[in-house]
Every structure is written in C-alpha cells, then in structure tokens.
Amino acid sequence: MARKNLLGNLTGPAGADAPAPAKPRRTTGAIGAVSQQIADLKTRALAEIPPELIDDAGLKDRLDDDPEGLAALVASIREYGQQVPVLLRQSPTDGNRYEIVYGRRRVAALRELGMPVRAMVRVLNDRDLIVAQGQENAARKDLTFIEKANFARQMVENGFDRKVICDALHIDKTVISRMLSVTDAVPYPIIMAIGAAPSVGRDRWLSLAARIKGRPLDQIVEMAEGKTSDDRFQSVFDGLAPEKLPKRSSSKELRAPDGTALGEVSRKGDKTVLTLKDQDGFDDWLIQNFDRIHQEFLKNSGD
C-alpha cells in the first residue's frame, strides 16, 4: 500500500492521491508561530498503519519474550481495541515503511490480530529515537532493574554521555552509575541467559558478580536453568556458592630475590593463609599497608 494512502486521513479525503508535501518555507512572527503550531498538530495526529509495514528499531529493552503477557494483551485488544497509540518514525531507508520507537508489544499483538496499528508518526533521527525510547521506558513500571540497567548499557555503547542517559531515563548520575556497575560486572551473555529476573535488584546482581570472578563464562551460562528468569538467577547464584567451588589445597614457600626465606602461603578450600618470618619489620609494614595494597589491586583489576 502506498504511503500517501496510509496517511490519507491526515492530508485529504480517504483514498485521494494527495500531492507530496511541499518543503515548508521559513517564516517569522505571528504567521511563523501559527505555521509551527499546525506542523506540530500534524505530527501529533494519529494514523492507522498496517502492521506488516512496521519494523523494529532502537535498543532492546526487554530480556524475556513473555508469551503469556503478550497473549493477555492480544485478548485485551481483541475485546476493547487498542486504547493507547504507539510511536513510529518513517523508515530512513524506505519511505513506505515505518520503525517502532515504542510500543513493540502492542504492534506484535495487533500483528497477531491482523488489525491496523493506531500510531503517532514522527520524524526522528537515530539519537532522538533512542532518547524517546528511554523516556518511555523510564515511565514504565513493568521493566525490571536489570532491563533498565541493560538499556543504559546500550546507550553508553552507542556513544551517549551520562547527561543524555540521565535525561532519557529521568534518573540521576548516581543511579546510572549503580546500574552500570552491574552491567560492567556481569557479562552480557549471563544476563541474557538469566533474563529479566523481576524479583532481583542491584545488590543481588552485585553479589552474583562477586561469585562470577574467575569462572569460565560458558559454564556459568549452562547453570541458568529454570522455568522463570527468577529461577534461572537462583540456579546460577546457588551454582556459584563458595561451598560448591572446587576445593584448593596447595602450599608455596616465599623467598626474596636473594633467596632469603620470607615465609609460606598455603591454600585449603576457600581459605588462604600467609605465614611470614620476622624480616626487619616487613610483617608490620605489610599489616599497616594492607588496605592500600588491596585498593591498588581493585584499581588494577577494574573494580
């Protein structure tokens, strides 16, 4: 179906061949203000778009497909119709197609029902599309902590600075930093294997991250078993419990470059024991500087 017919109710009688809109002339003063108001009204008007002409765009906001939720939405729209319009933009590569800014589940439900999609159509570049998508996500209550954190991660990877991310998600820099601390610490394949995990917040994700260190990624992904994403999180979390990690048992003598014996380090299970000989106060120096050494370790390890 030609694009001019899809938007016929906005430009003229249904089915009429409306001419392509002329490029607006720059005007000033009262006439310019009125022209701008008319243009704004047109961008806010609703159109009915066949769902087969609509493609995905922007960033991935949901980690789970949620077939049960989609089925419930299909049933609701079948009975009551589409109550809330979606936001689309015209495809930058095909003038006869559209891309979803937000409202993916509604488009999927209407596609299943074979019904046209009631939509606002706006002209947006890629940056504005993602910001609009983020603002919509910030207002939604059904996205989980890790889904919002993953959306923020994608914005960072697409080159957005922290201020833009904060404005898009309506949260401050401290909250963004907390979100990104999780997505930095938990590899994306593990997040995807677990899913949305609606009952799991930042602290438990960080606890999981602490257990992940040093473990092969593919082994952790295989631990993600369970019917729900909460079950899969718990499965991975329990599978990485310290008591389930392989037991270590070893000992090593510590010597200075000149061969002088300094002490011994021994490992057994999840414990490491360091025994030092009295070497001109080195043991006292080590105790006094232990916190600084640990901070240097965290800095170098990227934590």
Side-chain angles (χ1 to χ4, degrees):
M1 180 179 295
R3 176 180 158 202
K4 59 188 176 183
N5 289 334
L6 292 175
L7 301 180
N9 60 320
L10 302 183
T11 59
D17 290 337
K23 185 176 180 180
R25 290 178 295 177
R26 296 180 60 85
T27 55
T28 59
I31 295 177
V34 172
S35 298
Q36 185 60 50
Q37 290 176 1
I38 293 173
D40 290 343
L41 286 173
K42 286 184 178 179
T43 63
R44 290 179 174 84
L46 296 183
E48 290 193 346
I49 311 296
E52 62 268 20
L53 297 182
I54 302 174
D55 304 313
D56 278 341
L59 305 181
K60 182 178 177 64
D61 52 1
R62 293 184 181 272
L63 295 174
D64 293 337
D65 292 334
D66 188 22
E68 294 181 357
L70 180 60
L73 183 58
V74 169
S76 175
I77 293 178
R78 179 185 291 114
E79 183 171 357
Y80 301 107
Q82 180 189 352
Q83 299 298 313
V84 181
V86 306
L87 179 61
L88 307 178
R89 76 167 179 178
Q90 294 174 339
S91 171
T93 59
D94 186 342
N96 293 321
R97 299 192 67 81
Y98 300 83
E99 294 181 342
I100 304 171
V101 179
Y102 56 74
R104 282 178 171 79
R105 294 174 73 246
R106 276 165 279 170
V107 172
L110 290 161
R111 182 179 288 122
E112 184 171 328
L113 290 167
M115 296 172 59
V117 178
R118 295 176 64 242
M120 298 177 290
V121 180
R122 295 179 59 188
V123 178
L124 298 173
N125 59 31
D126 291 343
R127 178 186 181 279
D128 291 342
L129 181 150
I130 293 174
V131 170
Q133 189 180 6
Q135 290 174 340
E136 169 72 4
N137 287 340
R140 288 160 57 182
K141 304 299 183 183
D142 60 337
L143 286 183
T144 68
F145 167 82
I146 197 63
E147 286 177 319
K148 291 183 177 180
N150 187 58
F151 191 88
R153 175 193 64 81
Q154 293 178 83
M155 291 192 74
V156 170
E157 292 179 351
N158 278 269
F160 292 92
D161 60 36
R162 294 296 175 92
K163 182 181 184 305
V164 175
I165 299 173
C166 291
D167 291 343
L169 299 179
H170 295 299
I171 50 182
D172 60 34
K173 290 184 178 180
T174 301
V175 178
I176 290 289
S177 296
R178 290 172 179 170
M179 287 181 169
L180 295 177
S181 69
V182 171
T183 56
D184 288 343
V186 182
Y188 181 65
I190 296 176
I191 294 175
M192 286 298 297
I194 290 173
S199 70
V200 182
R202 169 181 171 267
D203 290 344
R204 293 197 69 205
W205 277 104
L206 285 178
S207 295
L208 176 64
R211 296 185 176 192
I212 285 173
K213 292 180 179 179
R215 298 299 301 275
L217 184 61
D218 56 344
Q219 291 184 10
I220 300 174
V221 170
E222 290 176 359
M223 294 179 184
E225 298 179 348
K227 182 178 180 181
T228 69
S229 55
D230 284 332
D231 293 339
R232 293 191 292 273
F233 178 93
Q234 194 63 47
S235 175
V236 173
F237 193 82
D238 292 343
L240 295 173
E243 62 270 15
K244 294 190 177 183
L245 297 178
K247 301 300 182 180
R248 303 176 300 175
S249 182
S250 63
S251 62
K252 179 182 179 180
E253 188 176 17
L254 303 177
R255 291 185 176 275
D258 62 2
T260 303
L262 300 178
E264 182 183 65
V265 60
S266 61
R267 293 177 174 178
K268 187 174 183 181
D270 59 350
K271 293 183 179 180
T272 300
V273 178
L274 177 64
T275 304
L276 296 176
K277 298 181 180 295
D278 186 4
Q279 294 289 335
D280 297 327
F282 173 67
D283 52 346
D284 290 332
W285 179 90
L286 183 62
I287 293 171
Q288 293 171 2
N289 291 274
F290 193 81
D291 58 342
R292 181 178 62 81
I293 296 172
H294 185 252
Q295 289 176 359
E296 186 69 19
F297 163 76
L298 293 177
K299 179 181 177 181
N300 292 334
S301 63
D303 289 348

